[in-house]
Amino acid sequence: MPALVLLGAQWGDEGKGKATDLLGGSVDYVVRYQGGNNAGHTVVVGDQKYALHLLPSGILSPGCTPVIGNGVVVDPSVLLSELSGLNERGVDTSKLLISGNAHIITPYNVTVDKVTERFLGKRKIGTTGRGIGPTYADKINRVGIRVQDLYDESILTQKVEAALDGKNQLLTKLYNRRAIAVDQVVEELLGYAEKLAPYVTDTVLLLNQALEADKVVLFEGGQGTLLDIDHGTYPFVTSSNPTAGGACTGAGVGPTKISRVIGILKAYTTRVGSGPFPTELFDEDGEALRRIGGERGVTTGRDRRCGWFDAVIARYATRVNGLTDFFLTKLDVLTGWEQIPVCVAYEIDGKRVEELPYSQSDFHHAKPIYETLPGWSEDITKAKSFSDLPKNAQAYVKALEEMSGAPISAIGVGPGRDETIEINSFL
Ligand code: GDP
Ligand code: IMO
Ligand code: MG
């Protein structure tokens, strides 16, 4: 019963989509366990490029069943348009399964996300504006709407009423917006019920039965470790748990079932939205990483903030996720630099600090301490094995592995499925 978790080890956009798709051909189920359409996972198959937001990246592998777990928040209109977009490109999406316990991102959650950010002004989080935070807040406040509620009009109406009671007060009195009508929301949501019905099921039962039957299940994290609501750079985080424990709660599978936890790690660092980022670059190196790495948000189109590799963060990701492996991505992007700085520790108030400080104010003051590694200039995009890499690229990978605390079992040297060096098999 191999169950693998695959998640981002930094601030998202590490290349989870590519890594999931790569394994999709060998696994029976790919399960999203948290987040929603704030995610933007790119998958390149041959000359075709796909941008997936809500659908698990396994949807592109014909033998694999994609599952949206109970921990995910689902915007039905986004889901349906993502499905029809794929169908138009000839992708069969009929195997998709959606948990009846997943929460729905309602139109008012999207409105609240946007007005809250506007209200925060300079202190904004820089959310994707997709209603993610307010939907999880409703879930925790026990006024959320679940997928199963679409199939009972009376319960749905009562729940929408309960959710809008307080929100309309806020919208009209604090944010100076118009109140949202219960009927309108209910009507819109009911309009999705029939279209979603073929996919909705008890995914918890199904996944546990699959594991009992020795099927291979891959849990795909929506965001990165440092965006985790508990373990990330709070409050500049997303409102769910992409870290490994989130796979258990967000899919209903016990921790004893998880056999491997793979952290996707970019060979440098990026971040979108607000919040601390010790190795961020504001010079031509940062510009070059952005240009060569194509570092632009898949969901919002925002330029990503770029910086050198941060080993303190990688070590932290190993610890809080219990990582068994790393999948190092985008090594090819670093080709051409004579010297490559790598952050090995921080200086905080004059002291050297080896591990991520738990205090937000300390982290805000953290200055990177760099070690510089020699670069390489040879094209590495055709490399098929570790020994095909130039010596300095090999040394860079080995140095990162030693600093980060888990073996690097695969290396990405380009966006395509086959532009990957496999060192240890994941299955
Ligand atoms: P995700 O959100 O973690 O799935 O990552 P994104 O799709 O947002 O961003 C990763 C970007 O890097 C995408 O454009 C991928 O096609 C691309 N990518 C993934 N792995 C590699 C790699 O090894 N090399 C290069 N050059 N690009 C890669
Ligand atoms: P993938 O799947 C990068 C960031 C947003 C913002 C914060 C909160 O592509 O790795 P939210 O809308 O979730 O409430 O925004 O989290 N964020 C991401 N950054 N990649 C993502 O997903 C992200 N999903 C959310 O930019 O800073
Ligand atoms: Mg992304």
Side-chain angles (χ1 to χ4, degrees), residues 156-158 160-162 164 168 180-187:
L156 179 67
T157 309
Q158 287 173 38
V160 172
E161 265 167 12
L164 275 179
N168 274 335
I180 296 171
V182 173
D183 298 359
Q184 227 174 324
V185 174
V186 170
E187 193 187 321

Side-chain angles (χ1 to χ4, degrees), residues 13-18 40-42 44 298 304 329-330 332-333 412-415:
D13 306 321
E14 299 90 348
K16 296 178 287 296
K18 173 189 159 166
H41 295 182
T42 317
V44 178
V298 180
R304 294 175 180 152
T329 60
K330 304 192 97 160
D332 53 299
V333 173
V413 291

Side-chain angles (χ1 to χ4, degrees), residues 11-13 16 38-41 126-128 222-223 227 237-238 272 302:
W11 275 288
D13 306 321
K16 296 178 287 296
N38 48 350
H41 295 182
T127 73
T128 59
Q223 281 78 30
L227 287 176
V237 291
T238 194
V272 199
R302 290 179 291 184

